[in-house]
Amino acid sequence: MSANVSTKCMICGEEITQGDVPIKSICDICGEEFTSYNFCENGHHVCMKCVTKLFADAKDIFLNTKSENPIKIAEEVMDLPNFTLLGCKHYFVASLALCAAFKNSGGVIEDYEKVVSIIIERISQLPPSMCKVGSICGVPLAVGAGLHATGLKSQNDDIHNKMSSKLTAFCIEKMFHEEYTGNSECCKRNTYICIHAGAIFIKNNFWVEMSLPKKIVCKYSEGNPKCNKDKCRLYRGKSSDNI
């Protein structure tokens, strides 16, 4: 079984290995059985539900931030000491950063704290390794799920499921557009792209404009085993046009 080092164990801090074959494991936190492609070198296993529970610090940021910039909100969360370089936590980051920035930019969300909890619960049901399970990153799916949970509806299209699916499709299109180079399995790259795409989609369909940087430069290239360096337009220090 071939494998690549991807991140750190949330229990002991040792390397997490991502294999090509799913394995059934018992979660060391809740004791429930789950299936994953990831395993700790020390034998630890953490299921998606417990990853969600360990998201407390990040949830606090999403609930209290005043920023209108979803990229900055996402980076504040990804800078947390317990936030891993790669992994399924990025599902939550992209979706909730957009939700928070939308609210702070004048968007109306009834009972925002409840909506944040609903988004976390729904996204926690996604498989931890969508890139292995379905050959597609889970971040765009999470962004679509987040839009669905907000209850937002477009005046041009009141079919809510359709709007959420459109957002997911838009993010996927941007991820695989020819101008986006770099490793398609890089969680940081896909998070940046989906946040940017989501902000554009929301502006065009819900008429709320968030604040976006003129140019997005990835802060996390150093030590990232998935980084393609100069081949990625978001690589640190590389001159590039805004995505």
Side-chain angles (χ1 to χ4, degrees):
M1 178 174 63
S2 63
N4 292 312
V5 173
S6 60
T7 183
K8 302 286 185 180
C9 175
M10 300 180 73
I11 294 178
C12 68
E14 287 298 319
E15 301 290 353
I16 289 287
T17 300
Q18 186 179 73
D20 295 324
V21 179
I23 56 175
K24 289 186 177 181
S25 308
I26 300 297
C27 179
D28 289 301
I29 296 178
C30 69
E32 293 187 7
E33 184 178 76
F34 70 105
T35 301
S36 176
Y37 286 83
N38 302 327
F39 56 94
C40 167
E41 295 294 336
N42 286 335
H44 295 126
H45 305 277
V46 182
C47 70
M48 185 66 163
K49 288 183 179 179
C50 289
V51 169
T52 303
K53 291 178 182 178
L54 293 171
F55 213 61
D57 291 340
K59 183 178 179 181
D60 185 65
I61 290 174
F62 294 127
L63 288 175
N64 295 295
T65 181
K66 302 301 181 184
S67 176
E68 299 178 7
N69 186 330
I71 297 293
K72 295 301 182 184
I73 297 173
E75 289 180 336
E76 184 177 356
V77 173
M78 292 190 291
D79 286 343
L80 290 171
N82 65 342
F83 199 93
T84 49
L85 185 63
L86 303 170
C88 56
K89 280 188 175 183
H90 294 82
Y91 297 177
F92 303 95
V93 171
S95 182
L96 289 168
L98 282 167
C99 187
F102 173 86
K103 177 183 71 70
N104 295 337
S105 300
V108 178
I109 299 179
E110 296 183 6
D111 199 343
Y112 174 67
E113 186 170 353
K114 180 179 179 180
V115 167
V116 169
S117 296
I118 292 173
I119 291 175
I120 291 175
E121 172 61 26
R122 291 187 179 182
I123 293 176
S124 70
Q125 298 177 46
L126 292 174
S129 303
M130 277 299 299
C131 54
K132 291 289 185 179
V133 175
S135 299
I136 182 67
C137 176
V139 173
L141 301 177
V143 170
L147 175 62
H148 190 275
T150 62
L152 297 176
K153 295 184 179 181
S154 169
Q155 295 179 15
N156 294 329
D157 188 348
D158 62 0
I159 304 176
H160 196 38
N161 286 338
K162 187 174 182 180
M163 291 302 294
S164 301
S165 298
K166 279 185 175 181
L167 174 54
T168 295
F170 187 68
C171 289
I172 293 174
E173 178 187 4
K174 293 299 182 182
M175 278 173 48
F176 292 103
H177 191 278
E178 62 180 359
E179 72 173 350
Y180 294 120
T181 57
N183 194 326
S184 62
E185 292 185 0
C186 176
C187 301
K188 300 299 185 189
R189 167 190 177 273
N190 292 346
T191 297
Y192 277 124
I193 291 174
C194 288
I195 289 174
H196 187 269
I200 293 173
F201 183 91
I202 289 171
K203 176 185 176 182
N204 292 339
N205 290 277
F206 301 100
W207 304 283
V208 173
E209 185 172 3
M210 306 175 205
S211 175
L212 289 172
K214 293 182 179 180
K215 184 169 69 173
I216 298 174
V217 181
C218 179
K219 297 171 54 179
Y220 309 98
S221 58
E222 295 302 321
N224 184 351
K226 296 290 186 180
C227 183
N228 275 4
K229 308 300 181 184
D230 285 320
K231 294 181 180 179
C232 179
R233 294 186 68 206
L234 307 182
Y235 179 56
R236 179 197 291 269
K238 179 183 177 183
S239 177
S240 64
D241 296 328
N242 185 15
I243 64 172

